[in-house]
Amino acid sequence: MRQRSRGRATLAAVAAICAVAALPGQAYGAGESTTYTFAPQAKAVNGAAVNTEAAELKTGSVYRSSIKFGEKLYYRLNLDETTNAYVSAVVVPKRGDKVAYGDGITISIRDQSNLECGSQDARFRSAEYPRPIAAYAYRNVKKDSSICKDPGAYNVLIERESKDTSGHGDWELEIRYVSEPQLAKGASTGTEAPDEWPSASPTPPTAAGDNRRHGGSGYYDATSLTTGEWKDEVEPGQTLFYRVPVDWGQQIFATAGLGNSTLPDENEYISSALAMSLDNPAQGHVDAASPMSYSGKPASVSLDPVPPVAYRNRFASATDVSAMRFAGWYYLSVTLNPEVGKFYGSEPFPLTLTVTVKGTARPTPYEGDAGIFGVTQDDQDMARSGQSGAQAAESRSSRMKLLGAAGIGAGAVLVLGLGGWTLLARRRQAAAATPAGTGDAGQQQPYGGPPQAW
């Protein structure tokens, strides 16, 4: 009986594995937390006012920090002479904070002589309400340049700029440091940025089946999308995050539309009602749509056409071109102005995201595993199912735990089975060696004798 119970437990564990593997990504329910979701693996780190006291950042790691009003903070990198490095910072002000047009941060990587290698800024601009915004700094090694090429220590500098009339509270930071893979020998990458690309936004096919996908609340749990029209709901003051796999040679188009209000006789005009932003796989800012105005009637806003993903885009001076420099997950974020809730109610508003990824995928220029700078079949599957990166990681962890449990159960069953067969074989041998007539009188025993109690 014990063997049968363990066997059934093992079969149940295996069945559970199959069930988990078959489950589609679950959408986050509307009405859950609208605060920013930081990566749970983020390590706490303090920025330093003096560069010589800066904490070192490790490649492939995520950190959590904060920056005060008017502060300038240093972090440290140790780089070799060949690797392209990217450090991004997501600014997360508290909800209800006051921000102005020019408020934001500038992030830069600098060598020991304070020469700037690469920088970017993140600003709230005309959408003057608090929301997560991101920017990245980079150190790219160029063959024809001696700037920022030496190995050794480099400084990451994050500078906060806020008007005196803005809120003075701390802004939280999520900092990521990633390294770009090395190019394969003989890879054709080009040396000049493109000067033209397709600008006509194609009409995506209507998504088959359930086309509802609820956005995540950070880059970590951004909901995966693919080409199609997706329905969601957004609350006033809420920022929703989505991600779309875009491979080499492919171009992304996106439109966000807000549904009409059902309140009678409301016609309040709100400028900058909806803000939409596009960021690249290193969480560097690509472009932002002009903030959409709203007056209770259906309205939409679209990103300007960006070029297809290409290595050579990095040679452009314009951010919306240079940031389209590698393949991977591209992030869309949408924020609804909290002012909308004052006039049209605090209930969630219907939101539609129309996404198109156009173009045939081309081979990677990198040598070996591209990491986050590539698109895999698993990525495409996640986009179709709507899984976020967090859900995919949780699924993998659950499968590994179940496989471990099933392995232990199967091992226990095997050991018990072998033990039982060994014991039975020994008893049969002992019975065969017993002289005739020594058993119970008048009874012929079956081979091995009567069953024994275990």
Side-chain angles (χ1 to χ4, degrees):
M1 289 298 293
R2 285 197 295 268
Q3 282 185 339
R4 290 194 185 114
S5 297
R6 285 186 172 89
R8 283 195 292 267
T10 302
L11 290 173
V14 173
I17 296 168
C18 296
V20 170
L23 282 175
Q26 296 178 353
Y28 287 82
E32 291 185 8
S33 174
T34 56
T35 57
Y36 183 81
T37 297
F38 288 86
Q41 73 271 29
K43 306 170 187 176
V45 64
N46 292 321
V50 179
N51 73 303
T52 55
E53 298 175 358
E56 182 184 353
L57 306 180
K58 300 290 187 180
T59 185
S61 298
V62 186
Y63 299 89
R64 190 167 175 174
S65 192
S66 64
I67 188 167
K68 298 181 182 298
F69 182 88
E71 224 175 12
K72 297 182 180 181
L73 297 178
Y74 285 94
Y75 306 85
R76 175 189 173 104
L77 304 179
N78 285 315
L79 303 176
D80 60 22
E81 67 275 13
T82 61
T83 303
N84 293 333
Y86 297 86
V87 179
S88 66
V90 182
V91 179
V92 187
K94 290 182 174 60
R95 292 189 68 173
D97 279 0
K98 185 179 180 182
V99 296
Y101 182 92
D103 290 358
I105 62 161
T106 298
I107 180 171
S108 59
I109 294 179
R110 299 165 178 266
D111 67 12
Q112 287 299 296
S113 63
N114 203 40
L115 185 66
E116 184 180 290
C117 306
S119 68
Q120 194 178 58
D121 63 53
R123 297 283 184 268
F124 293 101
R125 306 196 188 280
S126 58
E128 298 179 11
Y129 39 89
R131 63 191 185 279
I133 54 176
Y136 72 169
Y138 46 89
R139 178 263 206 164
N140 287 168
V141 180
K142 300 177 182 178
K143 293 181 180 179
D144 56 350
S145 174
S146 59
I147 296 175
C148 297
K149 200 170 185 176
D150 295 332
Y154 285 76
N155 296 317
V156 176
L157 176 61
I158 300 178
E159 306 171 78
R160 173 175 169 178
E161 298 176 28
S162 298
K163 288 185 168 54
D164 290 337
T165 54
S166 299
H168 286 214
D170 293 1
W171 290 348
E172 291 193 85
L173 298 173
E174 186 173 62
I175 300 171
R176 282 174 174 78
Y177 169 28
V178 294
S179 297
E180 190 174 10
Q182 297 292 331
L183 286 172
K185 292 182 179 179
S188 178
T189 59
T191 57
E192 294 183 1
D195 52 15
E196 60 181 7
W197 51 86
S199 59
S201 178
T203 302
T206 302
D210 184 9
N211 64 339
R212 292 190 176 275
R213 299 271 175 94
H214 189 58
S217 49
Y219 293 91
Y220 171 74
D221 65 352
T223 298
S224 303
L225 302 177
T226 186
T227 295
E229 183 181 272
W230 307 101
K231 296 185 183 302
D232 200 351
E233 291 183 329
V234 60
E235 299 173 9
Q238 184 180 25
T239 301
L240 298 175
F241 286 82
Y242 310 86
R243 61 179 195 162
V244 183
V246 187
D247 215 336
W248 297 98
Q250 293 185 325
Q251 194 175 10
I252 181 173
F253 300 85
T255 298
L258 199 62
N260 63 282
S261 169
T262 58
L263 293 180
D265 302 326
E266 284 289 353
N267 196 32
E268 187 70 29
Y269 179 85
I270 301 173
S271 63
S272 302
L274 192 73
M276 180 168 65
S277 183
L278 176 67
D279 300 321
N280 69 20
Q283 290 167 21
H285 183 62
V286 179
D287 198 14
S290 300
M292 182 197 79
S293 299
Y294 188 69
S295 59
K297 300 176 179 62
S300 66
V301 64
S302 299
L303 291 169
D304 289 334
V306 292
V309 172
Y311 190 90
R312 66 178 184 147
N313 289 342
R314 67 191 59 209
F315 302 115
S317 56
T319 298
D320 60 343
V321 179
S322 68
M324 300 295 298
R325 64 178 62 193
F326 23 56
W329 289 103
Y330 278 75
Y331 296 88
L332 290 166
S333 60
V334 178
T335 307
L336 184 59
N337 190 335
E339 289 290 317
V340 173
K342 293 182 180 180
F343 299 99
Y344 295 101
S346 59
E347 292 299 313
F349 284 72
L351 174 70
T352 300
L353 273 175
T354 304
V355 175
T356 302
V357 177
K358 182 181 178 182
T360 302
R362 297 178 180 175
T364 177
Y366 299 131
E367 183 177 56
D369 184 8
I372 67 168
F373 300 119
V375 175
T376 65
Q377 185 58 53
D378 283 347
D379 295 333
Q380 299 287 7
D381 292 342
M382 279 191 280
R384 281 188 288 269
S385 68
Q387 271 195 330
S388 69
Q391 290 170 329
E394 186 177 348
S395 262
R396 285 193 296 270
S397 176
S398 297
R399 285 197 299 270
M400 293 305 295
K401 287 177 182 177
L402 285 170
L403 284 170
I408 293 171
V413 170
L414 181 60
V415 170
L416 287 170
L418 288 174
W421 282 112
T422 301
L423 181 59
L424 184 59
R426 287 176 179 173
R427 285 177 175 165
R428 287 174 174 172
Q429 289 174 356
T434 302
T438 60
D440 293 345
Q443 295 184 9
Q444 185 177 0
Q445 302 295 336
Y447 182 76
Q452 305 292 319
W454 285 16

